[in-house]
């Protein structure tokens, strides 16, 4: 599967757009640009267009799409989009070792799976409204309730 247009729109919304490279925290090793693109290829003072930002996002998503496809737990686009968004935000290792994935594989009920999405809302030990909103969307999308 590939990311849906809905997922691309939502990631853009969640990540926000920066056409100029920045470091969210001064101690970051690399710069970030576009819709959350991070890495050694991003240089200080680099500037890109919105079209380039979208291209970077789509290229970045390929890694997460491949990972979620390899998990073989999604038969529907909504599930796939949800887990791609989750892993894009938190990393494939976080999804791979999560109780969320264990519960999905064990076919736990919606209550348990939603509860696991809801646990991933902290940054530095502090719950963030933006992460709560994102996890809520991911849980809703997982169950096909967000179209």
């Amino acid at each position: 599967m590939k990311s849906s247009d809905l997922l691309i729109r939502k990631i853009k919304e969640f990540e926000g757009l920066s056409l100029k490279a920045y470091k969210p925290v001064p101690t970051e090793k690399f710069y970030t640009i576009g819709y959350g693109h991070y890495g050694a290829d991003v240089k200080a003072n680099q500037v890109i267009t919105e079209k380039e930002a979208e291209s970077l996002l789509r290229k970045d998503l390929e890694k997460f799409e491949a990972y979620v496809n390899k998990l073989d737990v999604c038969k529907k686009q909504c599930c796939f989009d949800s887990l791609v968004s989750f892993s894009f935000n938190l990393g494939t290792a976080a999804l791979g070792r999560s109780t969320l994935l264990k519960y999905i594989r064990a076919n736990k009920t919606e209550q348990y799976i939603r509860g696991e999405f809801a646990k991933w809302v902290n940054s530095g030990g502090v719950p963030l409204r933006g992460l709560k909103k994102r996890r809520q969307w991911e849980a809703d999308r997982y169950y096909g309730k967000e179209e």
Side-chain angles (χ1 to χ4, degrees):
M1 279 189 223
K2 298 281 290 168
S3 297
S4 69
D5 290 340
L6 172 62
L7 175 60
I8 302 281
R9 282 195 315 275
K10 291 307 284 188
I11 286 179
K12 287 178 175 181
E13 179 184 313
F14 292 134
E15 295 291 332
L17 173 62
S18 179
L19 298 177
K20 185 172 186 209
Y22 69 98
K23 284 189 175 185
V25 178
T27 56
E28 286 283 344
K29 183 175 181 180
F30 301 117
Y31 284 83
T32 299
I33 200 164
Y35 298 104
H37 177 76
Y38 172 85
D41 62 324
V42 183
K43 306 300 179 204
N45 300 315
Q46 182 177 349
V47 177
I48 60 173
T49 66
E50 190 171 344
K51 186 176 180 177
E52 289 169 320
E54 179 158 345
S55 179
L56 285 171
L57 172 60
R58 289 180 183 274
K59 180 75 175 148
D60 289 345
L61 282 172
E62 290 174 2
K63 168 186 167 186
F64 302 98
E65 292 166 346
Y67 181 78
V68 173
N69 277 320
K70 191 173 140 187
L71 293 175
D72 197 32
V73 295
C74 295
K75 305 299 180 231
K76 295 181 178 179
Q77 186 70 46
C78 53
C79 167
F80 181 80
D81 284 351
S82 171
L83 297 184
V84 169
S85 175
F86 185 92
S87 62
F88 180 83
N89 183 233
L90 296 162
T92 56
L95 177 58
R97 68 175 182 265
S98 71
T99 303
L100 171 63
L101 183 58
K102 288 180 184 119
Y103 282 6
I104 289 169
R105 286 189 166 137
N107 255 343
K108 290 279 191 177
T109 64
E110 183 172 342
Q111 174 187 354
Y112 285 99
I113 291 174
R114 282 185 174 277
E116 289 305 311
F117 275 108
K119 289 179 181 178
W120 294 84
V121 297
N122 294 331
S123 179
V126 178
L128 298 182
R129 187 176 60 204
L131 290 178
K132 286 180 181 180
K133 184 177 176 184
R134 186 174 191 148
R135 297 293 99 79
Q136 180 66 54
W137 181 84
E138 289 165 354
D140 289 345
R141 182 70 178 143
Y142 182 86
Y143 287 102
K145 296 178 180 170
E146 177 65 39
E147 299 300 323

